[in-house]
Amino acid sequence: MDLTFDEHEAAFRDELRAWLEVNRPGPEPAGEDARWAWRMDWHRRLASGRWAGVHWPVEYGGRGATYTQSAIFFEELGRAGAPLPGDALGLLLAGPTLMAWGSEELRQRLLPTILAGSEPWCQGFSEPDAGSDLAALRTKATRDGDEWVIEGQKVWTSNAQYAKWCMLIARTGSDSPKKHHGLTYFVMDMEQPGLQIRPLRQITGESEFNELFIEGARVPHDHVVGGVGNGWKVTLTTLMNERAGLGFFLQVRLRQQVDALAAEAAARGLLDDPRVADRLGDLHMRAEAIRLTAYRGLTSTEKHGQPGPEGSVTKWMWSEASQELAQLAVDVLGPDALVEGTAWAHELLRSRGNSIEGGTTEVLKNIVAERVLGLPRR
Ligand SMILES: Cc1cc2nc3c(=O)[nH]c(=O)nc-3n(C[C@H](O)[C@H](O)[C@H](O)COP(=O)(O)OP(=O)(O)OC[C@H]3O[C@@H](n4cnc5c(N)ncnc54)[C@H](O)[C@@H]3O)c2cc1C
């Protein structure tokens, strides 16, 4: 990817910089509901300036930004210390999946609300016995006239308590011995009686994710994405967008956190301690490597239209760096980093999940080995 800006790209950067200057959000509030509201408010503010989903095609409300402009967008967000939009699942996962596989009616109905931040999404993939081995899922969908009736259970469903829509995979055919067959991808309305959402308390004390019990929920047939029985391919599109997109989004956050920790270390006179300086330098380089790897992923997306399996590398590198950063924060701040309710204490506890969410590191290593490096399957 060539990161030398032409005059359009420089103008894009200047316009965004000027907008961010006057639209930067206030400080992040404490408390889960307040934080969600704050992030969605930021999402809507970005949308009002046409800055949500800059890379989306103009026909679906984006700016049709080039890949270099998308890179500029993330750079500038990081530079301004601004958070990521609230409905990342909609922008990064559901939107691109609908653009690749959804009917024109679904795209027209749903894409504008994703950009606007008016109807947030959740991802109903994992089940109690189907996480890494996702194709083992058992949630069942049965056709009933123009509708499908869904029965089953999902788990770890982030933001289900706030979501209007769910990307749901369910089994619609049970005869095939190959479990990847007979799966169908649905867009399920979360506001209906057949659903029970039970929050799961995490080590942070928050309940970011939930158990989702589905007992006779109904989905219209025209909310099937990519055709009946074709759900595995559609799911892979979502997963590849998740790994590549999240890696890209989160490298911005990592950069901000490395800078914040360096500032804390400087304030405590610890930059002269070679053990701290060494580890900060290492994290700085890793953040840069993740940034450049994410850019390389953009180039690959430009060539093939969709992100490829190499997005798994970014997500894996990010989760390791993020956990190392939280550990270093404890060493720099000492007991201050362990005070409940503080940002670093939250980070220390929350970052444990980074190597599990969106695909565990072990599974990502398998993908990189088999599908990027072409090593033989075990
Ligand atoms: C913070 C967070 C948010 C999440 N949000 C969502 C969400 O919104 N929607 C959703 O659907 N899911 C979500 N998940 C679930 C997540 O996708 C799963 O936890 C993940 O895929 C792992 O599945 P599992 O927990 O069943 O573990 P398992 O698959 O049972 O894995 C257990 C262990 O075995 C290892 N393992 C498994 N298979 C292999 C293999 N083939 N080779 C080597 N090692 C292997 C794993 O790496 C892991 O260490 C979330 C998880 C977290 C932590």
Side-chain angles (χ1 to χ4, degrees):
M1 168 171 232
D2 179 7
L3 286 179
T4 326
F5 300 154
D6 64 23
E7 67 185 89
H8 298 294
E9 288 154 356
F12 177 91
R13 182 199 56 201
D14 293 345
E15 185 191 345
L16 175 58
R17 227 176 242 187
W19 188 87
L20 283 168
E21 200 58 47
V22 285
N23 284 285
R24 212 185 303 236
E28 188 169 346
E32 213 172 338
D33 289 343
R35 208 159 34 233
W36 172 258
W38 176 77
R39 285 186 51 215
M40 286 309 296
D41 186 50
W42 174 236
H43 184 135
R44 287 188 281 271
R45 206 177 320 167
L46 281 168
S48 71
R50 290 188 54 243
W51 294 111
V54 287
H55 59 294
W56 283 27
V58 175
E59 60 184 303
Y60 296 127
R63 284 183 180 240
T66 63
Y67 288 93
T68 306
Q69 286 172 328
S70 299
I72 293 172
F73 174 78
F74 287 110
E75 292 284 321
E76 292 302 316
L77 217 57
R79 196 174 159 274
L84 303 167
D87 185 20
L89 291 177
L91 281 174
L92 294 179
L93 279 61
T97 304
L98 288 169
M99 284 186 237
W101 294 99
S103 66
E104 195 50 35
E105 291 73 31
L106 271 187
R107 292 180 193 174
Q108 295 296 344
R109 160 69 184 86
L110 297 169
L111 293 177
T113 64
I114 294 177
L115 281 186
S118 56
E119 296 182 349
W121 285 72
C122 65
Q123 182 187 18
F125 284 14
S126 305
E127 297 186 2
D129 291 319
S132 304
D133 188 13
L134 186 56
L137 65 90
R138 292 204 200 133
T139 292
K140 200 164 171 40
T142 313
R143 185 86 187 249
D144 179 21
D146 283 345
E147 290 185 327
W148 291 84
V149 182
I150 322 280
E151 302 280 347
Q153 189 199 336
K154 298 290 174 178
V155 72
W156 321 125
T157 321
S158 304
N159 303 337
Q161 69 274 46
Y162 304 117
K164 164 69 179 164
W165 298 109
C166 178
M167 297 161 252
L168 181 92
I169 339 168
R171 198 158 285 288
T172 44
S174 51
D175 307 342
S176 171
K178 292 190 180 163
K179 54 192 185 177
H180 296 82
H181 294 181
L183 297 175
T184 299
Y185 195 107
F186 297 92
V187 172
M188 180 173 76
D189 191 338
M190 293 293 286
E191 291 172 4
Q192 59 169 309
L195 297 175
Q196 264 194 59
I197 300 167
R198 292 194 204 149
L200 287 166
R201 197 169 150 86
Q202 291 163 249
I203 192 173
T204 54
E206 297 171 328
S207 300
E208 191 184 343
F209 50 44
N210 304 268
E211 288 178 297
L212 178 61
F213 293 91
I214 315 174
E215 293 154 354
R218 293 195 161 251
V219 178
H221 180 64
D222 58 14
H223 279 211
V224 167
V225 180
V228 175
N230 197 32
W232 188 248
K233 279 194 189 154
V234 186
T235 299
L236 287 182
T237 301
T238 304
L239 290 177
M240 285 201 273
N241 275 286
E242 175 171 25
R243 285 158 196 167
L246 275 188
F248 213 97
F249 254 46
L250 293 169
Q251 58 91 8
V252 173
R253 197 152 164 265
L254 182 67
R255 170 84 275 144
Q256 293 169 347
Q257 288 173 317
V258 172
D259 292 347
L261 188 57
E264 291 271 11
R268 288 160 198 254
L270 286 171
L271 286 185
D272 294 333
D273 180 337
R275 287 165 305 176
V276 173
D278 246 25
R279 287 168 71 190
L280 270 172
D282 176 57
L283 279 167
H284 172 79
M285 283 192 302
R286 285 210 242 169
E288 279 301 290
I290 293 169
R291 187 170 73 93
L292 296 172
T293 310
Y295 287 165
R296 209 164 45 182
L298 275 185
T299 314
S300 148
T301 308
E302 194 167 24
K303 277 197 200 129
H304 307 295
Q306 285 293 326
E310 67 283 343
S312 297
V313 180
T314 330
K315 200 264 149 176
W316 155 24
M317 288 162 73
W318 164 78
S319 62
E320 283 190 348
S322 163
Q323 288 172 352
E324 170 61 29
L325 175 95
Q327 197 52 56
L328 178 58
V330 176
D331 296 341
V332 167
L333 276 74
D336 287 355
L338 303 176
V339 177
E340 197 182 343
T342 60
W344 289 114
H346 181 271
E347 200 53 41
L348 180 69
L349 299 173
R350 179 60 183 81
S351 63
R352 302 317 306 162
N354 294 161
S355 46
I356 303 173
E357 60 198 309
T360 69
T361 297
E362 292 77 13
V363 165
L364 298 181
K365 284 182 178 175
N366 285 345
I367 293 173
V368 172
E370 290 166 12
R371 299 187 45 210
V372 180
L373 301 176
L375 299 178
R377 289 176 74 88
R378 285 165 306 120

